[in-house]
Amino acid sequence: MVHGKQTRVMLLNDMEKLERTLFRLEQGYELQFRLGPTLQGKHVRVYINYPAPGEKFNRHKFRALDWVNPTGREDDSDKFCKLELKIAGSYQYYFGCGNDEKAGGGYIVVDPILRVGADNHVLPLDCISIQTYLAKCLGPLDEWPDRLRVAKESGYNMIHLTPLQTLGLSRSCYSLADQLELNPDFSSRGKKSTWADMGNLVEKLRKEWNMACITDVVYNHTAANSKWIREHPECGYNLVNSPHLKPAWVLDRAIWHFTCNAADGKYKERGLPDLIQNDQHLNTIRGILWQDVYPKIKLWEFFQVNVEAIVHQFKNLLENGTKAVKGKKEGKSHFKIIQDPEYKRFGSTVDMNTALETFIPHSNSPSAIQDCCNWLRKRLEELNAECYKQMHYHQEQAANCIVGNLVYERLANHGPKLGPITRKNPIVTRYFTFPFEEKSLDQDLQLLHKPDKACHFLAHNGWVMGDDPLRNFAEPGSNVYLRRELICWGDSVKLRYGNKPEDCPYLWAHMRKYTELTAKYFLGVRLDNCHSTPLHVAEYFLDVARTVRPDLYVVAELFTGSADLDNVFVTRLGISSLIREAMSAGDSHEEGRLVYRFGGEPVGAFVQPSLRPLVPSIAHAMFLDVTHDNECPIQTRSAFDSFPSAAIVSMASCATGSTRGYDELVPHQISVVKEERFYPKWNPQAKPSSAGEVNLQTGIIAGKQALNKLHQELASKGFIQVYVDQVDEDIVAVTRHCPSTHQSVVTVSRTAFKNPKYHHYKDNVPPMFIPGKIEEVVFEARTIQRQTGSYQKDEKSINGLPEYTVEIREHIQLKDSSIVKQAEMKAKGRSEFVHEIVFERLTPGSVIAFRVSLDPKSQEMVGLLRGHLIQFSPHYKSGSLPDNQAPAILKTPLASIMSKLTLADINVLLFRCDAEEQEDGGGCYGIPSWMPLKYGGFQGIMSVMADIRPKNDLGHPFCDNLRQGDWLMDYVSNRLVSRGGALGQVGAWLQAMFGYLKHVPRYLVPCYFDAILVGAYTTSLDTTFSLMSSFVQSGSTFVKLLSLGSVQMCGVGRIPALPPVSPALKDVPYRLNSVTKKEEQCCVSLAAGLPHFSSGIFRCWGRDTFIALRGLMLVTGRHLEARNIILAFAGTLRHGLIPNLLGEGICARFNCRDAVWWWLQCIQDYCNIVPSGTDILKCPVSRMYPTDDSMPQPAGSVDQPLHDVIHEAMQCHMQGIEFRERNAGPQIDRNMRDEGFNVEAKVNPDTGFVYGGNRFNCGTWMDKMGESDRARNKGMPATPRDGSAVEIVGLSKSTVRWLCELHKKGLFPYAALTIYRSGKKLSVSYEDWNRKIQSNFEKMFYVSHDPKDPNEQHPDLVHKRGIYKDSFGASSPWCDYQLRPNFPIAMVVAPELFTVKRAWEALEITEQKLLGPLGMKTLDPDDMVYCGVYDNALDNDNYNTARGFNYHQGPEWLWPVGYFLRAKLYFAKKMGKETYEKTVFLVKNVLSRHYVHLERSSWKGLPELTNENGQYCPFSCESQAWSIATVLEVLHDL
């Protein structure tokens, strides 16, 4: 685990569209794209618009990234393309695959780096404390420093200014008359202020005050009185460029004239006064709308057709004999109204061709034509009626919205209560500008037809409740203006950008200059009304801004109502911080939850690796106690709450801030429209009653200064961990913790959401328990009332409540606190001390902050521990201490202690399942109320931690167990110490490290336990791979993970599982038997699978061992151990067979026909792979059974060279093997029938095929014996595979061919076999045997496409052609023709038997029929007995499935996949380059699923089998030796 450089890995998955997922990164990070399982093996191209070095960013220019494959070969598990992130902004990536140009994609956002001060030091985003100012309330520019100094003295480090441009008539801060002109209000009498002056001030604040400045950009609208919009009306939505708005404009004018009439008293006699006071008045307004307004303007006519004109045109066409033109579309078109794009009354039309298709006269007579025209007229009248009905719905909604608006503006208590209807305060705000003289409604409507006038009726901007923010409500298709759903800003015109600069050149150019001007002078921008700004517009201008200022800080407030939609804006615009507000919390509990949500990790979080997956994040928060456009908290809560709520906010691990006026306790919202007074200036000597000046005694400013200072210190010093504790309903404690120094700051805030004057707060406050040593009280502060007279709103200055202030004391000792009554230090366990704090004056409005460190002993222990962890990562340097009194074992680096371990030791260190541990008298560690670990070794712990660590799941039972006691630490170290030797040394090292860990506070134990274990685990992996072959050492992550299977499966138990090899053999490991005290051999043996086949006599099986040996031992470089296993099994040869169940040789069962051939194949592989491998042929073999009937002999009694043993096995087969198993009967097999104990294996003299078995036994790997009395399958093999099984024929051919070659080289002394027939001695040469198999194989095994194939003995049983039989000569002939995954084994070991084209076709059929997600179906799904779900516990009446009878009749076994893929690779090469490349894709894609399984498996293995379609099978071994081995062999072949 390398620390330092931070790398994030993005896994690409097919069809994964992540446009609404936020991925945040920092500059200096490396981003890697890697292939997920769905894409491995495919040709994938990744594109991104992040600029190449030296190039400028262009959002529409994408470049392909180059793939890096560090291991260069076998699979795609480590293949990546990377980006060094050095430029802030939003970047889009997508990837293509095959013909799919965009198979997925998304965005990444890179944070800006802000710099302030004369030395340009970095201002981290989490350090930001921002204060908002309405620019118009700052007065002339030369007075700004005195007013802005308030922010500096209050401890803020960023100022947000509302727009600085000339304001529109309404004087709203956000209605700008000219985007390029500085507000003239900022000029003083003698001097005109310029943008350069503004820039100088901003730079002065940045350099001298260390304060950054940002300002708003408003892209959505301009002031209605902007000069340039009069000259360029095309920049807004007018009736010429947006004729769809005509009906809405007509309605708007009609409502305006209704306003004028109401204001002039014309409706008094109908019960409508100018002052609206009740529901009756509202109903009168509804009545007038429906009776007077709507009927007069007839809005439906804009959507209807002129019936008579259309009927007349249609009649002419019919009379002229015009026929409908047949369209390209199938079937008739739908007859409907086509809207007139110019929206003229009755201007809509219909499609005449559709009319001719729909209304067809039955003849050409005038009466028939007239009838037809009448049908058309009727249909047109119906369509017009539908338009009328639709408009009725729109008018209903318009009436509701108008009345709703009146209720809010004139009747509601929380509304502005506008008073009588006047032209200044109309019934509703006008939706369109009308820059002409007022005339009658009829005269107004005449202007519709004059484009030079109609182009100046511009739509106002506003917002629509609950609208889709990604839709522009002014564009065609939206009826917002017609239905009066817009909450309108009557001072602003909505801007119409179109889709690109060419659509409105002036507007884009004008706003571009505005953007460049802003970015030139300010470090950042706030996007005003962001959720209503068209995304492509904001994107374009932010790109412009970033060319001027690459590290542009972008903030926005979004009201989309969904985090998903928020992310669309954040990702596409590269928003750095989203504004969040504490005012949205209804109580202190919710306020605390927001602190936890918006930043930080939990206290005691785990150290994450520097290379880790890129995970989605929430947008970085700018958490404000209140925003400048929201109601005042004093009005909704109380003045006493201002300070404690601000304290809760400032403890958040994100940007925080406020708005000017909050700290001064201004008791009303400072209106962005109406406020014209100035902010007070800073004056340290000012009196509390002075309205125009403020200082530390004003409001909560002194408290805010302390909070801002603390906020910035915590962020800059790495206090990134957060814990929020709801002490009671009003008290919130927030802890910020630094994970390197383990210092904490705890603030306790007593909120006052209700005014203490009218609400009774409890006198007794619950005590608090703070772990560690309280170093100081950082500050304690209480909101108090003072005698200064009550609040009077000042005429000139924005003043606050003078009668409240904060009484604050900073940096005092606990004993001097006036809020804490007593603090008692209590021991909590051996290494933890807590302070019990009893409060006496924690009144509503109070806050106290404690600085806490660990108690000195714990602090020292953590420091020493961190010192020893530096060997694994430099991350631990901070907070570490040198250890001069370290135990001797800790003075040696762990890597050098581990270098003395063997792979057999590492099996104990990392693995060993519960059965293996129990055999040694132990067991795996069990966690109460949860489950036992999978392994006794490190892997058992690491598998659990891999789930817990990334999520920081500190509440997991595993973490609980670590916090509650030292049991797991003792288990881990004692387990190794008790073994002595090199493992004992590792145990001693862990014991010493845990010695420190036991003395740190319990809440820190999980993260440091994990740190120690991660270090030890990664070191042990390095040691493991260093002991393996170069193929593993230079291999991919996948190769390394698979090769760990070799360590997992190969070990030495308390009782050696292998029989002893010859004492004459060199390099055999020995150990002292703990019971007999004598030396004994301790050769590694290979378990068949975990957990079921890992210990006792069921650990070692001949067949499993030799199917797995090549992959797990030869490929990984464990040659000596492989040799010992081969020779140990050679010693057990009897009847020419080696055992199936080894049973230490003494309890062996010689009941399988294939194990001997797998053993022989392994000897061949050994000779071919191992340097000087053929030396093994001369190695001595100690024969346990020198004759078939002898008793077991001790090692060394009868030795003979291996080549003699090989020859004997071959000779026995040629002679014919026929015997009955010893002790036949229920004592060795309780299910087998008597005939099944008869073993037979022979060679057919005509074909050379090995054959044998009978229908009552199963001598190959498909060896399921029926067990159900109820289903009557007991004693019947499900798959006897008697006769010549295809893989045995292939393996025997491979061996015979190899022996012929060895003999030619003089390495094998035998050319022929001697047999006896009818008492006569005969000789059969190996060459002859080899030729016979070669010439007969395809004849007998290939199922030809020719129905008259003369070699086919049972043409009636053929049901699939172009495949190879599973066996030849079975007692049930139909079994020969079943499609199973066995013939690919023969293809791999003896490819010379197959014709390339036939082999390829057979493999294609196998892929289509048998290949599953992880394994191969063991039987063709078309077969009548196929069943893909294995349930060994189910006993029912079904012969085919009871008690797992279908073990090999469908379930998907993994190991055959290895042989299938190897066969495909071999024959694909013969088929040509294109086929080979396609096959490599297939292989990588199949293997990627194994990689994913292996990575996610807590066993770190591949299972024995799965149920159909890759579903989990609970009866399977979780990790199977041959499954891992054969997959590793595929990678070796690649």
Side-chain angles (χ1 to χ4, degrees), residues 765-1019:
V765 171
M768 261 197 80
F769 296 91
I770 297 180
K773 178 184 174 214
I774 294 179
E775 300 282 355
E776 64 160 356
V777 173
V778 182
F779 67 80
E780 58 177 26
R782 294 166 64 237
T783 309
I784 55 164
Q785 277 184 282
R786 58 182 171 182
Q787 301 304 311
T788 51
S790 57
Y791 171 76
Q792 296 289 319
K793 190 168 182 177
D794 191 67
E795 292 294 306
K796 291 183 179 164
S797 295
I798 302 168
N799 59 326
L801 302 174
E803 63 265 39
Y804 296 96
T805 187
V806 164
E807 170 189 275
I808 184 165
R809 297 162 71 211
E810 295 186 71
H811 305 295
I812 58 171
Q813 288 306 301
L814 195 55
K815 61 180 171 44
D816 301 328
S817 165
S818 61
I819 287 181
V820 174
K821 182 178 181 183
Q822 67 180 70
E824 201 181 334
M825 191 85 151
K826 295 187 170 183
K828 180 185 164 194
R830 116 185 93 194
S831 55
E832 217 164 336
F833 293 89
V834 295
H835 268 98
E836 182 182 2
I837 306 285
V838 180
F839 298 105
E840 63 174 344
R841 290 173 69 216
L842 190 68
T843 49
S846 307
V847 179
I848 183 167
F850 304 100
R851 190 179 302 279
V852 186
S853 60
L854 304 183
D855 64 89
K857 178 75 175 151
S858 299
Q859 191 73 50
E860 184 196 357
M861 289 299 167
V862 168
L864 298 174
L865 194 52
R866 290 180 76 88
H868 290 296
L869 288 169
I870 294 170
Q871 60 184 297
F872 306 125
S873 163
H875 168 87
Y876 296 104
K877 271 197 182 131
S878 58
S880 66
L881 292 172
D883 192 353
N884 303 321
Q885 270 82 50
I889 188 77
L890 291 185
K891 290 177 178 162
T892 313
L894 182 61
S896 103
I897 297 171
M898 283 191 175
S899 66
K900 299 181 176 67
L901 297 172
T902 64
L903 287 171
D905 291 332
I906 295 172
N907 164 261
V908 177
L909 183 69
L910 292 183
F911 297 106
R912 293 173 62 87
C913 68
D914 197 49
E916 293 173 276
E917 290 286 299
Q918 284 187 19
E919 196 175 48
D920 279 3
C924 288
Y925 189 83
I927 291 167
S929 80
W930 195 53
M931 60 168 83
L933 301 180
K934 299 289 187 267
Y935 293 111
F938 290 168
Q939 188 61 59
I941 294 165
M942 297 315 289
S943 290
V944 180
M945 291 309 303
D947 280 342
I948 296 173
R949 190 184 310 109
K951 296 185 279 209
N952 275 319
D953 183 4
L954 291 161
H956 193 284
F958 183 87
C959 298
D960 273 345
N961 186 264
L962 281 167
R963 284 190 291 265
Q964 284 163 12
D966 301 335
W967 312 293
L968 183 52
M969 294 183 227
D970 293 339
Y971 171 85
V972 170
S973 54
N974 295 348
R975 177 177 171 271
L976 298 174
V977 169
S978 66
R979 291 179 177 269
L983 279 171
Q985 291 286 293
V986 177
W989 184 89
L990 286 163
Q991 213 165 38
M993 290 292 278
F994 293 152
Y996 296 127
L997 183 57
K998 289 174 182 179
H999 292 279
V1000 309
R1002 296 317 292 192
Y1003 70 90
L1004 293 176
V1005 168
C1007 73
Y1008 280 109
F1009 177 81
D1010 181 55
I1012 294 168
L1013 260 283
V1014 165
Y1017 179 71
T1018 47
T1019 307

Side-chain angles (χ1 to χ4, degrees), residues 167-368:
L167 301 180
L169 288 176
S170 69
R171 297 284 296 160
S172 161
C173 293
Y174 288 94
S175 176
L176 310 185
D178 188 341
Q179 284 72 11
L180 305 180
E181 190 181 287
L182 190 68
N183 190 337
D185 297 0
F186 303 157
S187 301
S188 33
R189 285 194 191 103
K191 180 177 182 296
K192 184 176 191 266
S193 294
T194 64
W195 281 112
D197 298 332
M198 180 62 70
N200 291 337
L201 175 63
V202 168
E203 187 60 7
K204 172 188 160 77
L205 298 187
R206 190 183 78 80
K207 277 198 166 153
E208 294 173 23
W209 290 10
N210 294 327
M211 292 184 86
C213 289
I214 69 169
T215 186
D216 286 277
V217 280
V218 186
Y219 291 125
N220 232 340
H221 51 254
T222 190
N225 66 314
S226 296
K227 241 195 234 149
W228 61 269
I229 199 92
R230 286 301 303 271
E231 291 161 19
H232 292 278
E234 78 279 4
C235 297
Y237 288 87
N238 61 49
L239 303 191
V240 176
N241 64 21
S242 304
H244 64 282
L245 294 175
K246 283 178 183 175
W249 179 82
V250 169
L251 177 59
D252 195 53
R253 291 312 296 158
I255 296 168
W256 170 253
H257 285 281
F258 177 12
T259 289
C260 298
N261 291 338
D264 297 344
K266 291 185 182 171
Y267 290 114
K268 273 190 180 149
E269 72 283 358
R270 289 174 65 174
L272 180 65
D274 57 358
L275 184 65
I276 292 167
Q277 289 172 305
N278 53 42
D279 284 353
Q280 196 181 339
H281 294 158
L282 295 174
N283 287 333
T284 307
I285 286 176
R286 272 187 200 274
I288 293 167
L289 284 172
W290 284 104
Q291 291 152 30
D292 296 28
V293 177
Y294 294 160
K296 183 169 188 187
I297 54 180
K298 298 184 174 136
L299 295 180
W300 50 88
E301 294 179 354
F302 287 99
F303 300 91
Q304 289 179 329
V305 296
N306 182 330
V307 175
E308 290 313 317
I310 287 174
V311 171
H312 181 70
Q313 186 189 351
F314 181 70
K315 189 175 184 182
N316 283 345
L317 288 172
L318 288 183
E319 287 171 349
N320 293 334
T322 311
K323 294 275 184 286
V325 179
K326 280 280 170 267
K328 288 175 190 167
K329 284 188 203 157
E330 292 294 312
K332 284 190 179 174
S333 302
H334 183 57
F335 186 67
K336 59 180 191 288
I337 288 180
I338 297 167
Q339 178 61 46
D340 170 28
E342 290 305 311
Y343 283 77
K344 299 185 291 292
R345 289 183 189 268
F346 299 116
S348 294
T349 56
V350 294
D351 179 49
M352 274 300 169
N353 199 52
T354 308
L356 291 168
E357 265 183 355
T358 311
F359 305 98
I360 304 166
H362 52 77
S363 73
N364 292 337
S365 67
S367 65

Side-chain angles (χ1 to χ4, degrees), residues 397-449:
Q397 174 68 353
N400 291 339
C401 290
I402 290 166
V403 169
N405 205 57
L406 282 162
V407 169
Y408 170 71
E409 288 188 345
R410 304 188 188 253
L411 302 180
N413 288 329
H414 62 284
K417 299 219 169 172
L418 292 180
I421 296 171
T422 62
R423 285 169 173 76
K424 187 172 179 230
N425 289 324
I427 290 175
V428 281
T429 307
R430 287 198 282 187
Y431 273 15
F432 294 86
T433 59
F434 190 81
F436 301 108
E437 197 188 330
E438 296 284 349
K439 293 184 176 167
S440 72
L441 176 61
D442 289 336
Q443 286 171 303
D444 284 357
L445 298 188
Q446 289 308 307
L447 301 176
L448 256 186
H449 312 299

Side-chain angles (χ1 to χ4, degrees), residues 1416-1446:
M1416 299 289 283
K1417 290 178 173 61
T1418 35
L1419 180 62
D1420 182 356
D1422 299 336
D1423 196 293
M1424 57 194 274
V1425 297
Y1426 169 86
C1427 174
V1429 177
Y1430 173 56
D1431 184 347
N1432 198 36
L1434 177 75
D1435 196 6
N1436 58 14
D1437 299 328
N1438 186 333
Y1439 180 89
N1440 291 322
T1441 57
R1443 294 300 305 277
F1445 196 65
N1446 63 316

